[in-house]
Amino acid sequence: MAGWSTQKGHALALAIDNIDTDQLIPARFMSAPRSEGYGQYLLHDMRRDDDEQLTAEFPLNRHEGISILVAGHNFGSGSSREAAVYALVDAGIRAVIAPSFGDIFANNAINNGLLPAQVDAQKVMQLQHALKDAPAQVSIDLPASRLTLGDITVTFELDEGWRVKLINGWDDIDLTRQHMQAIGAHRKNRNKAAPWAWPNKPN
């Protein structure tokens, strides 16, 4: 997974609250291999009619090359399925801007290089208003926790550990590996201090 510290891309207003993980990717598609790309299933049932045809009314169907979504409250709530993040990433989405996120979704997003940028609700509405007619370019600065759309500049909340993971392209395992020397020293000290707690070594 490639890390990043700045990002520029076209943003789309998706002013819908409570988009949950089952809407992001319906469960019936999760048996498909990831190698086929989950982007084709992103928001499948919201984007299509009863005949499986894309509807012109849904914002994401009217524009191509979108990499940033400006969404509503409680984005990514529901089940813990990581495939919801896969669907976004495979569709080319690099960041979602919203007033709030499902906790597990946000953690899964970080581990897959997707930024869940939590922004004040009034600022989100301002961004959505600026995007109501057409997508526009948004610049994201991870180190500064700042994003810019035209003359609108807002800050977003981001845990410092999450920022480090995004910039370096790390997941939880990669982050743990950065502390292997300290972990090894701790194990050695604990082995000496409490040898009874460690399995017997073979002769």
Side-chain angles (χ1 to χ4, degrees):
M1 182 174 66
W4 59 278
S5 27
T6 60
Q7 187 77 219
K8 288 184 179 180
H10 280 84
L12 175 75
L14 192 61
I16 304 172
D17 291 337
N18 303 312
I19 293 179
D20 63 30
T21 52
D22 189 53
Q23 292 168 309
L24 287 168
I25 182 167
R28 65 186 182 277
F29 298 119
M30 291 171 57
S31 60
R34 172 83 188 278
S35 59
E36 293 182 359
Y38 277 14
Q40 60 187 311
Y41 307 125
L42 176 63
L43 296 167
H44 182 279
D45 294 350
M46 298 179 72
R47 299 176 66 179
R48 290 167 172 79
D49 60 22
D50 293 340
D51 296 321
E52 295 289 302
Q53 300 300 308
L54 293 171
T55 62
E57 293 78 17
F58 197 80
L60 201 55
N61 293 342
R62 299 197 298 268
H63 306 282
E64 296 182 352
I66 300 301
S67 61
I68 300 167
L69 297 178
V70 184
H73 291 270
N74 209 24
F75 189 91
S77 57
S79 73
S80 60
R81 67 187 66 172
E82 194 167 10
V85 175
Y86 296 162
L88 287 159
V89 171
D90 290 357
I93 305 300
R94 301 302 304 273
V96 179
I97 302 164
S100 57
F101 293 90
D103 290 340
I104 298 176
F105 169 86
N107 191 66
N108 286 338
I110 293 294
N111 285 331
N112 286 277
L114 175 71
L115 169 66
Q118 186 170 342
V119 173
D120 175 80
Q122 292 298 320
K123 292 293 186 180
V124 169
M125 290 179 62
Q126 185 181 8
L127 292 170
Q128 290 173 346
H129 181 76
L131 295 167
K132 66 182 178 63
D133 295 325
Q137 183 170 277
V138 167
S139 299
I140 300 174
D141 185 332
L142 270 183
S145 291
R146 183 176 61 238
L147 57 91
T148 305
L149 168 60
D151 59 357
I152 303 171
T153 298
V154 301
T155 58
F156 54 86
E157 296 180 18
L158 188 66
D159 176 84
E160 187 57 33
W162 285 6
R163 189 193 325 276
V164 169
K165 289 165 76 173
L166 283 174
I167 290 174
N168 290 282
W170 293 343
D171 60 14
D172 287 336
I173 295 174
D174 295 316
L175 187 61
T176 301
R177 285 174 175 159
Q178 309 311 307
H179 303 282
M180 290 302 294
Q181 185 173 354
I183 292 171
H186 175 75
R187 287 171 58 88
K188 185 176 181 179
N189 290 336
R190 289 299 299 160
N191 197 339
K192 290 180 179 179
W196 47 266
W198 294 79
N200 291 328
K201 295 180 179 179
N203 294 327

